[in-house]
Amino acid sequence: MDDFWVFGYGSLMWNPGFVFSESRQALLAGYRRALCVRSYVHRGTPERPGLVLGLDQGGSCRGMAFRVEASDRDGVIDYLRERELVTSIYIERRVPIRLDTGKKVTALTYVIDRRHEQYAGALDPRHAADTVLAATGKSGPNEAYVRNTVEHLRSIGIRDHRLERVIAEMGKPAQAGS
C-alpha cells in the first residue's frame, strides 16, 4: 500500500493526537493558512465569535506532514474526521504536497468550505485583531490561541506574516466602532 500522509497547518502540527512513523515540514500550494473560521464554542460564542485557522484558497502554506503506517490508516482517518468535521466547516481533501526533502506526495488535509456560515472570509489584520481580542470560548481566550499558534510556528522555523500582522495589531489600541 502507498504511503499515507496527513498535512497539518495549525494545532495538528504540534498536537497531532495520532500515531505516525515520520514527520516532515511540507509545502502545500494553492491554499493558505488563514484566520477565516468563526468559532462559536472553543474560542468564542455565538454572540462574540472568535477566529480559528482554516486552509483557504490561494497562496501556499508551510506545515507539517505526518506519514502514517498502513495498519494505523483507518484509525487515524476516523480520529481526524471526529476532530475536524464537527460542524462541516471543513472539507476533507487529498492534496499534493512537497516534503522538505523535495519528494512529492499526496496528503489528507481539511480545507474550509467558503459556503459555510462559519466562514469569515479574508479579514484585514485590524478587524481580525479586534475580533480575536473580544472573544473567549470554552477552550479559553481567542488571543491565547493566536499567540500560541504563532509561537509554535516560530519554534519549528515557520513564519506566518499574516498571523504576525494580526498579533501586531492586537498590541495597538482598538479602533472606534470595532
Side-chain angles (χ1 to χ4, degrees), residues 10-11 14 33 35 43 51-53 125-126 128-130 132-135 139-156 158-160 162-173:
S11 62
W14 50 86
R33 180 185 301 106
L35 282 173
R43 296 298 174 170
L51 292 171
V52 295
L53 294 172
R126 180 73 249 169
D130 290 342
V132 166
L133 288 169
S139 295
N142 198 186
E143 178 181 5
Y145 166 83
V146 175
R147 289 188 187 281
N148 187 42
T149 297
V150 170
E151 287 173 20
H152 276 95
L153 289 170
R154 285 180 179 163
S155 76
I156 58 173
I158 296 176
R159 299 291 303 265
D160 188 305
R162 288 181 193 93
L163 287 178
E164 290 175 11
R165 283 194 293 271
V166 172
I167 286 179
E169 288 295 327
M170 289 184 339
K172 299 177 183 176

Side-chain angles (χ1 to χ4, degrees), residues 30-43:
Y31 293 94
R32 68 185 184 282
R33 180 185 301 106
L35 282 173
C36 64
V37 177
R38 290 184 192 95
S39 175
Y40 300 138
V41 177
H42 287 282
R43 296 298 174 170

Side-chain angles (χ1 to χ4, degrees), residues 32 68 104 106 109 135 155 169 171:
R32 68 185 184 282
V68 175
K104 293 180 183 178
T106 298
T109 197
S155 76
E169 288 295 327

Side-chain angles (χ1 to χ4, degrees), residues 4 18-21 68-78:
F4 175 68
F18 58 85
V19 175
F20 56 90
S21 56
V68 175
E69 296 294 329
S71 59
D72 296 321
R73 177 187 174 119
D74 291 344
V76 167
I77 291 172
D78 289 345

Side-chain angles (χ1 to χ4, degrees), residues 84-101:
E84 302 296 331
L85 300 179
V86 175
T87 66
S88 303
I89 180 69
Y90 299 108
I91 301 168
E92 187 175 275
R93 290 268 162 82
R94 288 181 169 60
V95 295
I97 60 172
R98 182 185 302 270
L99 303 177
D100 59 3
T101 61

